[in-house]
Amino acid sequence: ASEAGIDGRGLFKDFITSLCKQAFDPEHGLFRATAEERLYPSPASELATSEHLQCFELLGAVLGKCLYDGILVELPLAPFFLRRIRGLGSGLRDLASMDADLYRNLTSLKTFDGDVEALSLFFVAEVYHLGAVQEVELVPGEPPQAVMN
């Protein structure tokens, strides 16, 4: 006779699948998605919860348990994040998988022959988190510092 609740990891797999679907959802603030819907940890995860590091630790343990038990969890992780997990270095090329537009703009700026000041660029970044946009100065100063040749 079978024991109630034992079904060859079916219940556990359903639980893990549901947990991962919720935990890795960018709407909860721990993860962000690229334009291609690839996931990576949100740099602003502390805004989602003060216990964000414990949440990441728990998710790591859950994924480790899945690996140990041979349970397939479909997570579309961003290539640059996977490189970091594997201990490989990152560089400008990795930016292409995070933000293709930013990568394209930076590489075209790198080869720009004209006067960069004419482009009216400033050392600021727009940060998107939980639907809100915030402008953050990359180099402190009043007003924001202009990019020059």
Side-chain angles (χ1 to χ4, degrees):
S2 291
E3 191 175 327
I6 304 291
D7 66 347
R9 294 191 316 209
L11 290 176
F12 181 70
K13 184 174 182 192
D14 287 346
F15 169 74
I16 292 297
T17 301
S18 179
L19 174 68
C20 288
K21 184 176 182 179
Q22 288 293 316
F24 286 90
D25 185 342
E27 291 296 317
H28 295 294
L30 288 177
F31 288 86
R32 290 190 62 191
T34 66
E36 293 81 26
E37 299 298 317
R38 301 294 189 165
L39 301 172
Y40 63 97
S42 172
S45 61
E46 73 276 1
L47 298 176
T49 176
S50 61
E51 297 173 340
H52 63 116
L53 297 178
Q54 291 88 345
C55 291
F56 287 128
E57 188 175 342
L58 172 65
L59 291 174
V62 167
L63 293 178
K65 174 70 171 156
C66 290
L67 284 171
Y68 182 78
D69 287 348
I71 297 173
L72 178 65
V73 178
E74 294 184 38
L75 287 175
L77 298 177
F80 68 90
F81 178 53
L82 290 171
R83 285 181 53 82
R84 295 296 297 192
I85 289 173
R86 292 174 41 210
L88 303 173
S90 59
L92 186 59
R93 269 193 356 222
D94 293 314
L95 182 59
S97 69
M98 181 174 160
D99 188 331
D101 289 334
L102 181 58
Y103 174 77
R104 188 172 43 259
N105 291 335
L106 283 176
T107 53
S108 66
L109 185 59
K110 195 173 163 183
T111 59
F112 184 69
D113 288 333
D115 184 12
V116 175
E117 286 185 70
L119 299 175
S120 299
L121 299 174
F122 296 90
F123 284 101
V124 294
E126 287 184 345
V127 177
Y128 301 89
H129 183 69
L130 298 175
V133 180
Q134 213 177 17
E135 206 170 76
V136 177
E137 290 183 11
L138 300 176
V139 177
E142 288 292 329
Q145 289 189 355
V147 176
M148 298 179 274
N149 285 347

